[in-house]
Amino acid sequence: ATPSPPPDLSSCSKAKINETTEVPYSCCAPTPKDMKKVPYYKFPSMTKLRIRPPAHALDEAYIAKYNLAISRMKDLDKTQPTNPIGFKQQANIHCAYCNGAYAIDGKVLQVHNSWLFFPFHRWYLYFYERILGSLINDPTFALPYWNWDHPKGMRFPPMFDIPGTALYDERRGEQIHNGTIIDLGSFGDQVQTTQLQLMTNNLTLMYRQLVTNAPCPLMFFGGPYTLGSDVESPGTVEVIPHSPVHIWAGTRRGSILPDGKTSNGEDMGHFYSAGLDPVFYCHHSNVDRMWKEWKAIGGKRTDIQNKDWLNSEFFFYDESGNPFKVKVRDCLDTKKMGYDYEPMPTPWRNFKP
Ligand code: C2O
């Protein structure tokens, strides 16, 4: 097999919402003048790690700088719509990599449902975080994580739900308001139960997905995805709780959106639009944290050794708007990448069913 190569941006085409509907705009990233000359990324020197904090515990000052960074990113959409570090351009990365805009050898590139899931999103957030930091001249800015694996974080982080702020998004489900507890195992149906019972269920579920069901790398990361493959074999955490959080945060499919169109789950509940909700990156910060927490459990819980995984590549723009290729093998150590997670207890480790 051949490792999954970075997409050729010059052959980017229209992304699709489903078999019959095209995304009503182009998700294609700006094309570098010469794709062949795009260099491999090298980590810039750094003096201090960025420490990603749990979203529910942020103070006012942190929330203010996070809002400022996102609002500057959104401003770029108006002043420089083709700047790759703009808010929509950043959201489009997800759309392009996940809704069929890139084809390699006639096969559509899809970074979900396989072992590409964790490394792709780690690199995506890496650049996103650096872009936010550079927009507010704070080289230590760190993306908060939505700590849904802890009872304190099992609700929509309130800072995202303030209308008129940069972190707000209109296209979200009704259920996110008023501190409602999320059901991490639900793909849409809400069961009637107490908040306490829901939290307990969530912790049991976390135990199952990280400990019981993921004793070895391919169970956790997902099955192989190489050039030309189209196998769907997602890892445990990608299925639950990653997907339920998306569906819960998005509008209900079939409901009417603020612009009068019918919902496909926008924003969080569909690949093409998920990146348009600022909470996406906060959600994925915790998904990424699960990679670290899973390895910390021990046993055979280690990174994949297969070269086809290690040598798979993606394509991103950095905070200066320069294009780079990156390899999976270079994202295995977050400290080398310049960030880490502020520790939070993982009570689910005691919730063996
Ligand atoms: Cu790329 Cu949470 O999806």
Side-chain angles (χ1 to χ4, degrees):
T2 308
S4 180
D8 176 358
L9 298 206
S10 58
S11 69
C12 183
S13 63
K14 266 274 175 94
K16 287 184 160 178
I17 295 176
N18 54 43
E19 306 273 291
T20 52
T21 323
E22 283 186 342
V23 174
Y25 51 86
S26 167
C27 301
C28 299
T31 312
K33 279 188 202 71
D34 189 349
M35 270 307 289
K36 297 219 167 59
K37 291 211 182 97
V38 173
Y40 283 102
Y41 186 70
K42 286 211 182 57
F43 291 112
S45 64
M46 49 129 185
T47 44
K48 227 177 130 215
L49 285 179
R50 299 165 192 260
I51 302 296
R52 297 183 180 173
H56 64 264
L58 295 188
D59 63 22
E60 296 294 325
Y62 206 112
I63 295 173
K65 83 178 172 183
Y66 189 14
N67 265 294
L68 180 63
I70 298 279
S71 72
R72 291 202 170 144
M73 209 183 219
K74 286 184 171 176
D75 286 344
L76 288 175
D77 291 349
K78 292 175 219 136
T79 57
Q80 306 169 38
T82 56
N83 188 331
I85 70 168
F87 186 80
K88 284 214 179 95
Q89 289 286 344
Q90 285 295 303
N92 283 347
I93 294 174
H94 200 258
C95 172
Y97 271 95
C98 324
N99 288 78
Y102 298 135
I104 305 175
D105 270 12
K107 285 265 167 54
V108 160
L109 178 60
Q110 171 56 271
V111 292
H112 298 84
N113 304 315
S114 78
W115 69 15
L116 292 187
F117 175 77
F118 277 97
F120 169 80
H121 292 87
R122 173 166 284 182
W123 273 118
Y124 185 15
L125 261 62
Y126 169 85
F127 289 109
Y128 195 84
E129 178 173 73
R130 297 183 62 89
I131 293 166
L132 290 179
S134 100
L135 287 170
I136 54 171
N137 300 311
D138 179 354
T140 65
F141 178 80
L143 264 179
Y145 60 89
W146 179 356
N147 195 190
W148 33 248
D149 59 308
H150 187 286
K152 286 205 170 111
M154 290 179 185
R155 43 172 66 91
F156 205 76
M159 67 177 162
F160 289 94
D161 197 21
I162 306 168
T165 62
L167 295 177
Y168 188 74
D169 181 15
E170 288 197 307
R171 303 201 290 181
R172 287 179 182 149
E174 285 307 315
Q175 59 283 355
I176 62 125
H177 303 299
N178 308 323
T180 304
I181 302 297
I182 186 173
D183 178 347
L184 293 179
S186 165
F187 289 82
D189 305 317
Q190 302 288 331
V191 272
Q192 288 303 320
T193 178
T194 64
Q195 301 223 331
L196 186 64
Q197 188 58 48
L198 259 181
M199 289 189 203
T200 310
N201 293 351
N202 286 340
L203 292 171
T204 309
L205 213 119
M206 289 306 302
Y207 185 96
R208 195 177 306 136
Q209 299 305 83
L210 277 104
V211 186
T212 320
N213 292 350
C216 60
L218 293 185
M219 308 293 278
F220 175 78
F221 290 102
Y225 183 99
T226 50
L227 180 62
S229 77
D230 49 9
V231 209
E232 294 213 351
S233 158
T236 52
V237 170
E238 181 179 357
V239 180
I240 287 177
H242 161 259
S243 290
V245 175
H246 271 282
I247 293 166
W248 186 77
T251 51
R252 286 194 84 103
R253 288 187 183 217
S255 67
I256 302 300
L257 296 172
D259 65 0
K261 296 203 178 115
T262 304
S263 165
N264 300 288
E266 290 91 346
D267 281 326
M268 275 286 274
H270 202 293
F271 289 148
Y272 93 90
S273 53
L276 290 169
D277 189 333
V279 86
F280 171 89
Y281 308 89
C282 186
H283 170 39
H284 269 277
S285 183
N286 204 41
V287 171
D288 186 69
R289 181 175 153 264
M290 290 304 110
W291 182 348
K292 171 183 168 159
E293 295 297 344
W294 175 75
K295 285 205 268 186
I297 301 167
K300 292 204 178 79
R301 296 179 184 82
T302 59
D303 290 324
I304 298 168
Q305 302 295 317
N306 191 319
K307 294 224 167 38
D308 290 336
W309 186 66
L310 295 168
N311 293 330
S312 285
E313 297 179 11
F314 310 110
F315 175 101
F316 287 101
Y317 281 94
D318 76 352
E319 66 274 18
S320 308
N322 295 319
F324 288 101
K325 291 185 289 187
V326 298
K327 286 183 190 273
V328 167
R329 60 167 67 251
D330 292 323
C331 77
L332 308 181
D333 181 351
T334 70
K335 290 200 186 97
K336 237 176 75 190
M337 298 175 86
Y339 75 93
D340 201 357
Y341 289 96
E342 189 180 310
M344 268 299 281
T346 46
W348 45 265
R349 284 187 59 170
N350 304 317
F351 274 68
K352 193 172 176 162

